[in-house]
Amino acid sequence: MDKLELKGIWNEVKGKVKQAYADLTDDDLKYEDGKDEELLGKLQQKTGKGRDELVKWIKSL
């Protein structure tokens, strides 16, 4: 998932991600330019999914 793609869809899928994983905080889901990998890393830790699995899941939302 490239940076522009993540940035473009993030506001749309953030709510769906939070519904699926209620323990995620707004800080966990905060998108910042240039910190895509950090965001994915936080999500990997909280969800227990691998990077590729997580990216595929986000794209499916």
Side-chain angles (χ1 to χ4, degrees), residues 9-58:
I9 65 167
W10 190 243
N11 286 331
E12 295 175 25
V13 299
K14 182 168 58 172
K16 293 177 183 178
V17 171
K18 200 168 186 179
Q19 285 178 339
Y21 293 93
D23 61 328
L24 292 173
T25 66
D26 288 333
D27 286 338
D28 293 331
L29 298 172
K30 184 177 180 184
Y31 177 84
E32 295 181 41
D33 284 336
K35 294 191 175 185
D36 301 1
E37 293 301 319
E38 185 177 321
L39 173 63
L40 287 172
K42 284 181 187 179
L43 292 175
Q44 282 179 268
Q45 288 178 331
K46 296 280 185 160
T47 64
K49 295 180 181 233
R51 186 189 190 286
D52 292 337
E53 181 183 5
L54 187 59
V55 169
K56 185 177 178 181
W57 179 68
I58 290 171

